[in-house]
Amino acid sequence: MLEIVPFTLGPVFTNAYLIADSESGDAAVIDPAWDGHLILAEAQKRGWRIGGLWYTHAHFDHIGGAAEIADSLNPQPTIAMHSADRLLWQMGGGGALFGFKIDRGPKPSVDLASSRTLRLGGLTFEVRYTPGHTPGHVIFYCAQANGLFSGDLIFQGSVGRTDLPGGDWEALVASIREQVFTLPNETRILSGHGPETTVGEEKTYNPFTGGI
Ligand SMILES: [Zn+2]
Ligand SMILES: [Zn+2]
């Protein structure tokens, strides 16, 4: 069974998700946003082994806690990111624009441009490519658990901004239409900022995606 422990961390209240297959204890962190020690402590408390850090995209507020987690783990976790965000990652996730300098941690070792599924114990996550907020943005869908980790693609009642370097409004709208709204209405959306929602709710109420 998929277990999800959400955290809201850092200067712009980013959601990080510690996830695990409760049967095997295999765990990963989707967007280790900030304060990696808090995420680590929770995993330790539960007896989970963090084997991977999975990035929806490389913005500083989604990877600011990665170094702290990776430094404390042996063996090192695999770090999964789409290579179209490599430049953004190299530039510290664009934090300089907002006055933040982060330790971006170890180099990503799994390119989500070619690895289209990720495994966690007995669970499978489909990697869906969703450019628009950043060029290499992806979302993680677990059909077995009926859950979608949407990063900064879509939020409850809102969508990701496209005014930062690499942003593209047309691409964002297409990503939502093709990769989110094609999922079952009851799919839970766990996004990068704000509360949980569902695909059906956003199809009906999201003012930014009405009519698409
Ligand atoms: Zn972002
Ligand atoms: Zn964000």
Side-chain angles (χ1 to χ4, degrees):
M1 203 186 84
L2 175 65
E3 281 202 54
I4 304 167
V5 184
F7 296 80
T8 303
L9 302 169
V12 290
F13 307 104
T14 305
N15 294 331
Y17 296 97
L18 171 64
I19 60 170
D21 175 354
S22 52
E23 272 95 73
S24 69
D26 289 301
V29 183
I30 295 177
D31 291 350
W34 216 259
D35 292 325
H37 61 277
L38 296 179
I39 302 172
L40 267 172
E42 187 66 30
Q44 272 155 9
K45 196 177 89 187
R46 291 164 179 264
W48 292 348
R49 293 173 307 277
I50 297 175
L53 306 180
W54 303 351
Y55 302 165
T56 59
H57 64 298
H59 274 153
F60 74 99
D61 61 305
H62 291 253
I63 63 171
E68 222 174 43
I69 297 175
D71 287 350
S72 307
L73 293 174
N74 185 18
Q76 284 274 292
T78 57
I79 298 184
M81 184 184 86
H82 192 290
S83 49
D85 264 12
R86 191 179 292 136
L87 185 63
L88 183 60
W89 181 83
Q90 281 166 348
M91 291 166 56
L97 273 175
F98 299 90
F100 291 102
K101 193 174 180 334
I102 58 156
D103 179 346
R104 62 194 176 197
K107 225 173 147 178
S109 50
V110 173
D111 182 0
L112 297 177
S114 45
S115 300
R116 305 314 300 265
T117 53
L118 291 167
R119 280 177 209 292
L120 191 66
L123 300 163
T124 303
F125 292 76
E126 186 191 334
V127 180
R128 296 184 156 219
Y129 179 48
T130 53
H133 177 67
T134 66
H137 195 287
V138 298
I139 57 179
F140 304 109
Y141 174 56
C142 182
Q144 291 149 288
N146 205 28
L148 175 72
F149 297 88
S150 73
D152 286 2
L153 175 62
I154 186 166
F155 311 114
Q156 184 194 55
S158 187
V159 297
R161 59 194 287 185
T162 54
D163 60 326
L164 296 170
D168 181 334
W169 174 255
E170 304 292 320
L172 182 100
V173 169
S175 291
I176 293 171
R177 186 174 51 213
E178 291 160 19
Q179 304 295 346
V180 178
F181 286 177
T182 49
L183 295 171
N185 280 341
E186 61 275 17
T187 307
R188 297 169 68 187
I189 298 180
L190 300 126
S191 63
H193 301 272
E196 183 177 333
T197 181
T198 65
V199 168
E201 264 180 66
E202 295 316 308
K203 271 187 183 166
T204 310
Y205 299 114
N206 195 308
F208 295 90
T209 54
I212 66 166

